[in-house]
Amino acid sequence: MPNIIDVSDLSYRYQEAGSRVLDHVTLSVKQGEWLAIIGHNGSGKSTLAKCLNGLIQPEQGNVVVSGYNTKDESAIWKIRRRVGMVFQNPDNQFVGATVRDDVAFGMENHGVAREEMLQRLDEALKLVKMEAYADQEPHRLSGGQKQRVALAGIVALQPLIVILDEATSMLDPEGRRDVLETMKLLNKQRGLTVLSITHDLDEAVHADRLIVMNEGKVIRQGTPAEIFQHAELLEEIGLDLPFAVKMERLLRQRGLEMTERPLTQEGLVNALWTLRSTM
Amino acid sequence: MFNLVIGQYVPMESLVHRLDPRSKLISMFLFVIIVFLANNWLSYGLLILFCLASITASKLPFQFIYRGLRSVFFIVFLTFILNLFFTNGGLLLFSWGWLHIYLNGLIQSIFISFRILVIIVITTLLTLTTSPIEITDGLESLLHPLKRIKLPVHEFALMMSISLRFIPTLLEETEKIIKAQAARGSDFTTGSIKSRFKAVVPLLVPLFVSAFKRAEELAMAMEARGYHGDEGRTKLHRLVWNNRDTVLLLILAIMTIALILFRY
Ligand SMILES: Nc1ncnc2c1ncn2[C@@H]1O[C@H](COP(=O)(O)OP(=O)(O)OP(=O)(O)O)[C@@H](O)[C@H]1O
Ligand SMILES: [Mg+2]
């Protein structure tokens, strides 16, 4: 698969005199993959996300999104149309007076013709199961519902990439599952590339690939299995481990060796009940 | 104050609801102006007739209109009293010490009260039958020509609709902060004005800080979704001018002529 985003040697700082928030970051995102970025608070994940659709400009290095450099001012709207972004706080990204207005906002900005807009609007609302709320005002919606509306607004723009910047962190488990299920569907069925910034490691283990950030640097990239093999490194930089990984480690310390290292709860259960079965 | 703009709209199916917001806005402004042409019973009768007809056509229960009027009764009453006592001329109806009530004063104060009442009724009717989005869309479209002299009409309309959208959010937040401060022993309801004022400061500061933070995040989210002014922008809402809108304006034009004729 070709790369859809190429970040090379990217550095950024907010204040002239301040320290680097992004420090020579180089990474790429493949088309159609689900990439998760983890790292503790202040490690520069959100800053990286803002570089990817040109909300902020690199101090050094380049960001290229499907062939367009974010430094190219004439391409910035093309880039933003290709890269959709859902932010953490559901309230502070709801622009419209009603659900319909909010979903339409992005399409209005990009000059989508009205007929097409109406069609995409219905589709997007159906996809996130919010069609019954089309005329609701935002203060009558729950956080999870608002976040789904935000997602619909992005999906309606038919982007190539969706960045979720802790988009589910303010939601309850059910709201979180709803949003992630929708994203997985789009990822599988329409080949949408998903870049998910998250603190939820049990979500991160389902990613195709994982990037670990620390103090503005990418310190590890790989499949979840590869990353969580080195549990010590993650703990060193102050990250928690997924439940199954922790459990497996504790069991191993007690002398219970499993043939493989499970990442999910389900995998752990399977590994445990097949442990003593000799076939 | 908030009630004037939001939470007023009563979604219903009626002729007045279906009118284009632009024709309603123009009519309202025109109406407010021509009210000042009225100076006799006949012309006031016409204005009141128009109000009653509009209310009937809106199918709104009268109590909704009454609710809007309730808050201004005091002002109407005050102007009534002032005009009653301070307008001279005509037959002396009543006199007690330095208080004199003349016939002209009585008529004048009745007229002025009617004037205020019909204006309030018509503006209330507008906000009851037109959603805030429709009003902003209508205003934006009506003020569109002003763009040529570089007035930020679109930005103004967007500002207005975002403010309306955030009023409930900020009210909710204010409530939360009040509770949080009250839990720490702050008291807004008793004590001298000065101490009450002092108690409000720790309420306003966090409210402003959070409002600014929201504004910053919202601006970023808007940019991420491709907002860049109204250049090349399409609109979800389309305003449709129908025959009924033209008829409404015709009615107002006829009323204007009638009021001018009635004057002499
Ligand atoms: N607008 C800003 N102005 C100045 N400094 C900022 C700004 N935004 C972030 N920073 C600083 O940049 C650093 C990285 O912040 P960033 O938001 O990218 O971290 P993050 O990895 O997203 O953290 P979190 O997990 O808390 O969201 C932090 O030290 C933060 O204080
Ligand atoms: Mg962040």
Side-chain angles (χ1 to χ4, degrees), chain B residues 32-225:
Chain B
V32 169
I33 293 168
I34 61 173
V35 160
F36 290 92
L37 286 173
N39 65 348
N40 54 39
W41 293 106
L42 192 58
S43 40
Y44 276 105
L46 184 65
L47 292 175
I48 291 168
L49 194 70
F50 178 77
C51 285
L52 291 178
S54 310
I55 294 174
T56 316
S58 77
K59 291 192 189 156
L60 285 167
F62 195 78
Q63 77 215 49
F64 279 104
I65 314 276
Y66 172 73
R67 226 182 278 161
L69 289 179
R70 216 170 32 189
S71 50
V72 294
F73 273 149
F74 178 71
I75 302 176
V76 176
F77 182 69
L78 199 70
T79 33
F80 183 85
I81 295 293
L82 286 178
N83 275 288
L84 192 60
F85 290 127
F86 295 109
T87 315
N88 300 333
L91 193 67
L92 182 66
L93 292 179
F94 174 85
S95 149
W96 184 71
W98 51 273
L99 281 178
H100 308 285
I101 298 178
Y102 294 92
L103 182 61
N104 282 5
L106 183 63
I107 294 174
Q108 183 71 10
S109 41
I110 291 174
F111 281 174
I112 296 211
S113 308
F114 271 133
R115 202 175 268 181
I116 301 176
L117 281 178
V118 291
I119 289 179
I120 304 281
V121 165
I122 288 298
T123 42
T124 310
L125 201 60
L126 177 85
T127 52
L128 283 172
T129 60
T130 324
S131 72
I133 318 171
E134 278 183 299
I135 295 184
T136 24
D137 279 344
L139 275 177
E140 182 176 357
S141 160
L142 285 176
L143 298 178
H144 190 84
L146 292 181
K147 247 188 234 165
R148 235 175 272 151
I149 55 168
K150 297 265 170 351
L151 277 185
V153 175
H154 159 76
E155 286 77 4
F156 173 75
L158 187 78
M159 251 165 66
M160 198 164 125
S161 71
I162 289 180
S163 317
L164 289 172
R165 174 252 170 278
F166 270 93
I167 287 171
T169 312
L170 290 179
L171 280 181
E172 219 168 84
E173 184 144 325
T174 316
E175 214 167 284
K176 247 187 240 166
I177 298 174
I178 288 180
K179 280 188 188 140
Q181 304 289 32
R184 293 175 200 165
S186 136
D187 186 358
F188 306 100
T189 48
T190 55
S192 66
I193 299 220
K194 198 179 153 200
S195 70
R196 273 195 232 183
F197 183 76
K198 267 192 184 157
V200 170
V201 174
L203 197 160
L204 287 183
V205 173
L207 191 64
F208 270 85
V209 170
S210 114
F212 279 115
K213 189 168 163 266
R214 277 181 200 283
E216 202 182 327
E217 276 183 32
L218 187 72
M220 186 139 291
M222 283 168 64
E223 243 189 276
R225 283 161 77 182

Side-chain angles (χ1 to χ4, degrees), chain A:
Chain A
M1 275 286 175
N3 289 346
I4 196 160
I5 297 182
D6 269 306
V7 178
S8 55
D9 201 33
L10 167 69
S11 293
Y12 185 81
R13 61 182 118 202
Y14 282 98
Q15 280 109 14
E16 289 272 323
S19 58
R20 285 208 168 108
V21 174
L22 293 177
D23 194 0
H24 300 285
V25 171
T26 299
L27 59 89
S28 55
V29 184
K30 289 191 197 69
Q31 199 173 336
E33 78 173 332
W34 183 298
L35 177 67
I37 299 184
I38 58 174
H40 64 75
N41 294 127
S43 55
K45 306 179 298 288
S46 297
T47 311
L48 175 66
K50 284 176 205 160
C51 284
L52 298 183
N53 65 353
L55 284 175
I56 54 180
Q57 289 295 334
E59 174 189 319
Q60 193 191 326
N62 286 298
V63 177
V64 178
V65 180
S66 72
Y68 299 106
N69 194 317
T70 59
K71 282 181 183 160
D72 177 5
E73 264 178 47
S74 63
I76 202 80
W77 305 113
K78 286 185 194 142
I79 291 175
R80 293 205 183 138
R81 189 164 182 165
R82 284 165 176 74
V83 184
M85 204 152 150
V86 183
F87 296 87
Q88 180 175 15
N89 192 324
D91 249 321
N92 300 350
Q93 53 185 317
F94 207 110
V95 187
T98 66
V99 168
R100 275 165 62 83
D101 286 284
D102 191 66
V103 175
F105 180 73
M107 291 190 281
E108 292 180 323
N109 291 335
H110 287 289
V112 175
R114 189 164 178 274
E115 295 305 311
E116 170 139 19
M117 197 188 294
L118 290 172
Q119 193 194 328
R120 287 199 205 173
L121 187 87
D122 286 344
E123 259 176 36
L125 282 178
K126 229 172 256 157
L127 184 81
V128 299
K129 301 196 188 73
M130 286 294 289
E131 66 266 45
Y133 298 86
D135 291 311
Q136 281 287 4
E137 288 152 12
H139 63 274
R140 293 187 213 282
L141 300 177
S142 73
Q145 289 173 329
K146 275 182 228 172
Q147 216 58 335
R148 267 147 63 194
V149 173
L151 201 60
I154 301 298
V155 170
L157 281 173
Q158 305 179 339
L160 300 174
I161 311 143
V162 171
I163 301 176
L164 305 171
D165 188 356
E166 295 179 42
T168 57
S169 66
M170 283 188 160
L171 309 185
D172 58 14
E174 202 174 325
R176 185 173 303 183
R177 202 172 47 230
D178 273 354
V179 170
L180 290 175
E181 291 288 308
T182 311
M183 290 313 295
K184 276 197 188 115
L185 198 77
L186 290 171
N187 177 245
K188 293 267 138 36
Q189 288 185 355
R190 300 197 197 168
L192 184 78
T193 311
V194 178
L195 201 158
S196 165
I197 296 171
T198 180
H199 284 287
D200 181 359
L201 295 172
D202 290 306
E203 179 205 322
V205 296
H206 290 289
D208 297 325
R209 208 151 59 87
L210 208 56
I211 283 181
V212 186
M213 288 194 65
N214 190 39
E215 289 171 3
K217 292 193 182 76
V218 172
I219 56 166
R220 261 232 147 55
Q221 305 192 33
T223 62
E226 285 163 9
I227 301 283
F228 290 116
Q229 289 240 305
H230 305 277
E232 305 71 30
L233 176 107
L234 295 178
E235 284 186 327
E236 215 171 276
I237 62 164
L239 282 178
D240 202 9
L241 294 171
F243 171 75
V245 174
K246 255 192 277 188
M247 199 64 191
E248 189 270 343
R249 234 171 31 136
L250 290 173
L251 289 172
R252 186 148 38 89
Q253 280 163 11
R254 292 288 181 101
L256 197 71
E257 282 287 347
M258 291 176 217
T259 45
E260 60 195 283
R261 297 205 168 165
L263 293 173
T264 61
Q265 219 155 310
E266 207 184 5
L268 180 70
V269 171
N270 280 339
L272 281 178
W273 74 262
T274 51
L275 190 63
R276 300 252 180 257
S277 59
T278 44
M279 294 256 290

